[in-house]
Amino acid sequence: GVDQWPLNQHPLASGPFMLENWDYSHALTLARNPRYSGTPAHLDRVMFRIIKEPAARILALEAGELDFVADISPHDAARLEMNPDLEIKSTHGRRFYYLQWNCRNPRLADAGTRRALSLALDRERMMETLLDGYATPAVSPIAQVLWNHADHLAPDPYDPPQARRLLREAGWLPDEADGVLRRDGLPLQLEILTRTGDPVRRDGAVIIRENLQAVGVSVTIRTLELAAGLELVNAGNFDVYFGSMTPNLYGDPSSAIHSDAIDEFNDGFYSNDQVDALLEKALGTLDREEAKPYWFALQEILQADPPAAYLFCPQRLDAVSRRIRNIRPHVLSPVNNLSEWWIAPEDRKYRTGAAP
């Protein structure tokens, strides 16, 4: 098969580095490419070591055996920040966590109720508790790092009094017996569905339940394996889904919010004619500057008539030895400018041309 082709073990190189050695399952070494026509890489060679266990990677970094570890946990980052020999590089990512409302549920069918519930959520507490503060609040399904994100919009604040006012305006009144909100005899009773294996969602669901209960919502949590949970979501058999999403790079959320995207990722059956029209105008406008007003207006509508409560965007965290200079991680890659990394002579561990 293709995976056995010799070329895969000796790939051609047209960039600043070329493959020098590949020790399967252990390490891969790149060397400066002498035939590269652009600016030569500053480093003679770079070794990528394969260490499967995150804890082992961190220990190797602290022992000086590694100079760079990508995508570390917030807990590790908070501890490594105190190490004077190390630096934490944080990069805004595309992924965000959200609560998907099922708009076919009569409890969630109106925008006022969904907007009120979003205002009941303490995003700052979630970011501090779940991610040690290494996150930013989410505003819309268009990530902060993308060109058409509406920077002028503020994230929904934590405002329980306003949430209660909006719920009252939407017709929800507390029951004298148990304090749970009811409208036309229907209790505001919601089940939050989420997946196993993600501590952020496991612990975040507890905070969300507490926030919503504080404004009169009866909340239960249901945790399932990913496949089983998504089967329920795709079938529409859920109230609220606590999920995460990594949007596409070109800033088009149509698959999650257009009324024709029910068979894609519009799992909450959201429908808004203005949203559909703005999506079509924005996507039909090739000039980015001319398209931005449509994208911005779209996100303003999504804040007033939310298909989901957009919660927070985790930062990608990379740990680096201070002896490595000019590391600039990018949203697409932590080693984005690898050819520009350099080490001062007094910080070098190895002779020029010598492998570690």
Side-chain angles (χ1 to χ4, degrees):
V2 174
D3 60 335
Q4 300 299 316
W5 286 4
L7 184 61
N8 290 337
Q9 280 70 50
H10 304 283
L12 301 176
S14 59
F17 290 99
M18 55 187 285
L19 180 64
E20 181 179 70
N21 183 59
W22 188 351
D23 183 4
Y24 298 99
S25 299
H26 294 288
L28 186 148
T29 303
L30 303 181
R32 185 190 297 119
N33 185 356
R35 298 181 180 86
Y36 180 53
S37 60
T39 302
H42 295 312
L43 299 176
D44 297 315
R45 57 178 42 78
V46 179
M47 176 184 285
F48 292 86
R49 287 180 55 189
I50 299 170
I51 303 176
K52 294 182 180 180
E53 291 299 323
R57 292 197 291 268
I58 296 299
L59 288 174
L61 177 70
E62 293 180 295
E65 299 171 11
L66 298 177
D67 291 303
F68 185 90
V69 176
D71 201 18
I72 66 173
S73 73
H75 176 73
D76 285 330
R79 184 173 61 80
L80 294 177
E81 288 255 34
M82 298 183 288
N83 188 324
D85 298 325
L86 302 174
E87 182 180 4
I88 303 300
K89 298 282 188 179
S90 62
T91 308
H92 291 302
R94 289 181 290 143
R95 185 165 64 102
F96 62 85
Y97 284 84
Y98 64 99
L99 287 183
Q100 177 69 65
W101 311 120
N102 186 343
C103 298
R104 287 185 178 174
N105 184 324
R107 298 170 175 84
L108 299 168
D110 61 292
T113 297
R114 300 195 302 272
R115 171 76 173 148
L117 296 180
S118 182
L119 294 174
L121 302 173
D122 191 347
R123 291 164 174 79
E124 291 294 334
R125 179 185 169 193
M126 292 183 212
M127 292 187 293
E128 288 296 328
T129 303
L130 307 174
L131 295 164
D132 285 284
Y134 295 107
T136 54
V139 175
S140 81
I142 298 176
Q144 184 178 1
V145 295
L146 299 178
W147 66 276
N148 54 346
H149 177 266
D151 292 334
H152 68 284
L153 288 180
D156 280 348
Y158 175 49
D159 193 345
Q162 177 66 358
R164 293 187 188 96
R165 282 192 291 271
L166 291 178
L167 287 168
R168 189 164 53 249
E169 291 173 9
W172 295 101
L173 299 174
D175 184 89
E176 293 182 0
D178 58 14
V180 174
L181 297 175
R182 281 175 168 75
R183 181 171 64 187
D184 299 327
L186 184 70
L188 189 47
Q189 191 172 47
L190 300 173
E191 179 184 78
I192 298 174
L193 175 64
T194 192
R195 58 161 291 185
T196 58
D198 182 355
V200 170
R201 280 185 259 194
R202 179 196 65 208
D203 299 336
V206 176
I207 296 174
I208 291 167
R209 178 176 61 189
E210 180 182 319
N211 289 164
L212 296 180
Q213 286 177 334
V215 297
V217 186
S218 175
V219 181
T220 57
I221 298 171
R222 186 179 185 185
T223 305
L224 296 175
E225 294 290 338
L226 178 60
L230 289 181
E231 184 177 349
L232 291 178
V233 171
N234 294 333
N237 297 325
F238 74 101
D239 298 330
V240 184
Y241 177 63
F242 187 8
S244 73
M245 178 181 291
T246 302
N248 54 55
L249 286 168
Y250 40 93
D252 174 15
S254 299
S255 63
I257 60 174
H258 197 287
S259 61
D260 288 340
I262 301 301
D263 293 332
E264 296 182 67
F265 300 106
N266 184 356
D267 299 314
F269 308 99
Y270 179 75
S271 180
N272 183 305
D273 292 341
Q274 286 182 290
V275 166
D276 290 351
L278 283 167
L279 281 169
E280 289 154 15
K281 285 182 180 179
L283 293 170
T285 305
L286 299 181
D287 183 271
R288 283 190 168 187
E289 291 305 313
E290 293 179 11
K292 278 184 178 179
Y294 298 128
W295 289 117
F296 295 167
L298 167 74
Q299 290 166 83
E300 290 169 4
I301 292 174
L302 292 178
Q303 196 165 61
D305 180 17
Y310 303 105
L311 300 176
F312 48 83
C313 304
Q315 296 174 348
R316 195 193 60 230
L317 302 168
D318 307 312
V320 57
S321 166
R322 291 189 182 274
R323 79 187 194 97
I324 310 295
R325 316 293 177 88
N326 199 32
I327 294 180
R328 299 195 308 275
H330 186 270
V331 63
L332 295 181
S333 171
V335 294
N336 173 65
N337 70 322
L338 181 62
S339 65
E340 299 172 353
W341 296 11
W342 60 278
I343 304 172
E346 64 272 16
D347 291 329
R348 294 174 186 170
K349 294 182 179 180
Y350 314 108
R351 300 188 311 275
T352 301

